Amino acid sequence: QMLIPADLSEERYISGMEALNLPAPEGTSGDWHFVNVFYTKKQEKISRVTIAGNGEKIDTNPIWGNYGVYICDNALQERGLQAEGKISYAANHFRAILDLLYARLKENKYPFELQRVSEDFLDTNEEKNTLLEKAKEMRPYLSTEQQSLLTDWIEREMKPGW
């Protein structure tokens, strides 16, 4: 099992693909590669789940505060995952996608791996619209080049189907 650290909070939480593989409180579908994401082969080095927030490489707290961060203890326990701490926090599917998107844009790279993410991990047009509106809120935190990449991603994401 991947390491789930003890010092999680609303400001420092599980995000990325790990958060997309936990059931979110809103009931969005998320991903279904739970075992592949949370467990490693015995020969491999044990690694830590993706943590976002204060002091981490991905820190979107200045943009969204604690939006979409919830206590995920039950979801972890129901799946047999042990956390080092008493209370664990995770990003819901919206926040996890936004964190991944922001991280990719900050690298000045188009987020190809997130193309059609609203169709893969969310369920309705309303949820898709919520995601896209929230994504627009990161514009002031991006360079001109990064804003252009975000605009391109949003425009492609708005197109129905492939």
Side-chain angles (χ1 to χ4, degrees):
Q1 165 193 325
M2 294 183 84
L3 175 66
I4 302 169
D7 55 346
L8 298 179
S9 68
E10 286 186 323
E11 293 80 32
R12 196 166 169 277
Y13 52 90
I14 299 167
S15 190
M17 289 306 295
E18 293 88 353
L20 284 169
N21 277 277
L22 290 174
E26 298 80 11
T28 50
S29 58
D31 202 3
W32 49 273
H33 294 93
F34 178 79
V35 171
N36 294 350
V37 170
F38 278 96
Y39 291 93
T40 59
K41 295 178 183 173
K42 290 182 181 181
Q43 304 93 325
E44 294 178 10
K45 178 182 161 187
I46 294 177
S47 59
R48 183 180 84 159
V49 295
T50 302
I51 304 296
N54 293 349
E56 298 296 330
K57 181 180 176 184
I58 302 171
D59 184 1
T60 57
N61 291 342
I63 305 169
W64 296 294
N66 63 5
Y67 166 78
V69 178
Y70 68 101
I71 296 174
C72 65
D73 293 333
N74 289 341
L76 295 174
Q77 291 168 2
E78 288 172 4
R79 284 152 186 79
L81 294 171
Q82 296 281 17
E84 290 184 338
K86 293 182 180 179
I87 300 176
S88 296
Y89 292 82
N92 68 9
H93 298 153
F94 297 101
R95 182 64 177 264
I97 293 167
L98 292 167
D99 285 345
L100 290 168
L101 177 62
Y102 179 79
R104 195 69 170 151
L105 294 172
K106 291 304 275 185
E107 295 173 346
N108 296 315
K109 295 181 180 175
Y110 183 82
F112 287 105
E113 66 280 2
L114 296 175
Q115 202 65 59
R116 293 284 165 237
V117 71
S118 62
E119 293 176 12
D120 289 342
F121 303 131
L122 304 176
D123 303 309
T124 66
N125 280 333
E126 181 180 278
E127 292 169 353
K128 178 180 186 174
N129 291 335
T130 297
L131 174 69
L132 298 178
E133 288 304 311
K134 282 294 196 186
K136 292 175 185 176
E137 293 176 14
M138 74 175 79
R139 284 188 198 283
Y141 300 87
L142 302 173
S143 70
T144 303
E145 177 186 348
Q146 294 162 351
Q147 288 180 24
S148 178
L149 293 170
L150 174 62
T151 298
D152 290 347
W153 179 82
I154 289 172
E155 287 175 359
R156 289 182 185 185
E157 200 67 17
M158 287 173 49
K159 293 179 183 176
W162 286 88

